[in-house]
Amino acid sequence: MAENNASNQTHFIPRKFGKPIPVELFELLPERFEYTGEDLFWSDEQVQNAILMLVGSLGLQRFVQMLPPHSREELMCILEEEQLRW
C-alpha cells in the first residue's frame, strides 16, 4: 500500500490534459463502492483521492467540457470567489 497521503498527493494534481493513472494508486481507494442514496461509505480522503484520480486521468479541460452549462457557470462563480481570497 502507498506510504502516506502527502507523498502520493503529487500524483493527484490534475492538469490541463489528462495522464494515465499509475496502477499502484488504486490501492488508495476502497475495494468496494458503497452508496446509501445520500452518502458514500468512504472517508473524505478516499473520496478526494477518487475524484482527483478521475479528473487527473481526464484532464481539467476535458472535465470542464463535460460539465453541463449551468455547472460551468457555478464553477466560474466559485473560482472567482476563491480568487478574491487569494
Side-chain angles (χ1 to χ4, degrees):
M1 184 153 208
E3 292 174 25
N4 65 44
N5 191 39
S7 66
N8 290 308
Q9 201 65 11
T10 58
H11 296 289
F12 293 106
I13 299 173
R15 300 289 183 199
K16 184 174 183 176
F17 300 106
K19 61 181 180 178
I21 301 170
V23 176
E24 63 271 9
L25 295 182
F26 282 94
E27 294 178 6
L28 298 173
L29 302 177
E31 291 183 21
R32 295 175 37 168
F33 179 83
E34 297 182 42
Y35 182 67
T36 65
E38 294 179 13
D39 204 5
L40 289 170
F41 285 119
W42 291 3
S43 70
D44 287 347
E45 182 180 346
Q46 291 168 324
V47 171
Q48 179 182 6
N49 287 339
I51 290 170
L52 291 176
M53 282 175 64
L54 291 172
V55 174
S57 176
L58 287 171
L60 290 169
Q61 185 172 25
R62 186 168 174 214
F63 171 72
V64 170
Q65 290 169 345
M66 295 172 101
L67 292 172
H70 184 73
S71 297
R72 283 189 220 162
E73 292 169 12
E74 288 191 16
L75 179 59
M76 289 298 296
C77 289
I78 291 167
L79 291 172
E80 288 171 4
E81 290 170 6
E82 287 296 316
Q83 190 174 17
L84 292 174
R85 294 182 203 168
W86 297 340

